[in-house]
């Protein structure tokens, strides 16, 4: 998360002094992630920000690997802007390899949608299937968008954290995941599909009974 967030912050801020101050920590995070790489090429992680609220295999999950991929892409741009071409090349190569690994390790057909499983052994749709799209991985965009907007995940209140089934009896909805899903649609060129859900969501959150 720091690798992704700090790199994005520096690039958007455009302040070289701040970037140079944060860059050593960003590089440390990149190397830490590299040390967590599994033999399959994805990033090992016991959990994500959901902290065990929903099932995972405690080895690797789609959220952590997607954030790492996005972080490496941004860190490469930042390194290049700071004159560190060597690190930029390394991060780009790692991101390319991780992109392939994410598809091989997490890619799956679920309910006839070509999308992603959250982790090995859990073949239920999860809200975080949108994260690869948010990070610029579009190979499974059509299937992922279809899965997100299907009755398995989408509700009037937003996107379920996990489809209901044997592994999950909850109807939990996190606004963060819903907003990531909307972002994924717009970034992958399918904004027209998300236009009505976005307007409905804003209406409910701003003037109806479910407000911040």
């Amino acid at each position: 998360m720091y690798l992704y967030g700090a790199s994005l912050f520096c690039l958007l801020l455009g302040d070289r002094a701040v970037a140079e101050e944060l860059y050593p920590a960003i590089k440390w995070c990149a190397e830490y992630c590299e040390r967590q790489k599994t033999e399959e090429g994805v990033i090992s992680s016991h959990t994500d920000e959901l902290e065990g609220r929903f099932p995972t295999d405690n080895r690797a999950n789609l959220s952590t690997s997607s954030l790492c991929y996005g972080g490496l892409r941004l860190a490469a741009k930042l390194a290049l802007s700071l004159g560190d071409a060597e690190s930029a090349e390394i991060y780009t190569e790692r991101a390319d390899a991780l992109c392939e690994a994410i598809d091989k390790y997490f890619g799956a057909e679920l309910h006839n949608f070509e999308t992603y499983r959250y982790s090995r052994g859990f073949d239920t749709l999860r809200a975080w299937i949108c994260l690869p799209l948010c990070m610029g991985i579009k190979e499974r965009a059509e299937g992922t968008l279809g899965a997100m907007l299907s009755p398995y995940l989408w509700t009037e209140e937003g996107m379920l954290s996990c489809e209901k089934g044997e592994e999950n009896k909850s109807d939990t909805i996190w606004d963060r995941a819903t907003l990531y899903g909307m972002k994924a649609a717009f970034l992958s060129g399918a904004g027209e599909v998300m236009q009505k859900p976005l307007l409905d969501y804003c209406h409910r959150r701003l003037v109806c009974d479910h407000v911040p």
Side-chain angles (χ1 to χ4, degrees), residues 97-108:
L98 183 53
C99 182
E100 292 183 14
I102 287 172
D103 191 73
K104 290 179 181 178
Y105 190 87
F106 297 107

Side-chain angles (χ1 to χ4, degrees), residues 110-111 116-118 122-126 129 162-168:
L110 304 177
H111 301 301
Y116 304 92
R117 60 169 58 90
Y118 182 72
F122 293 93
D123 292 335
T124 50
L125 289 169
R126 301 281 285 269
I129 59 174
C162 179
E163 70 164 286
K164 286 190 174 182
E166 291 303 316
E167 298 167 14
N168 173 48

Side-chain angles (χ1 to χ4, degrees), residues 42-43 45-48 54-65 102 105-108 110 116-126 128-129 167:
V42 294
I43 308 303
S45 176
H46 295 301
T47 185
D48 67 359
F54 290 89
T56 183
D57 68 354
N58 296 319
R59 184 163 182 261
N61 62 70
L62 182 63
S63 175
T64 299
S65 289
I102 287 172
Y105 190 87
F106 297 107
L110 304 177
Y116 304 92
R117 60 169 58 90
Y118 182 72
S119 55
R120 285 274 177 95
F122 293 93
D123 292 335
T124 50
L125 289 169
R126 301 281 285 269
W128 290 134
I129 59 174
E167 298 167 14

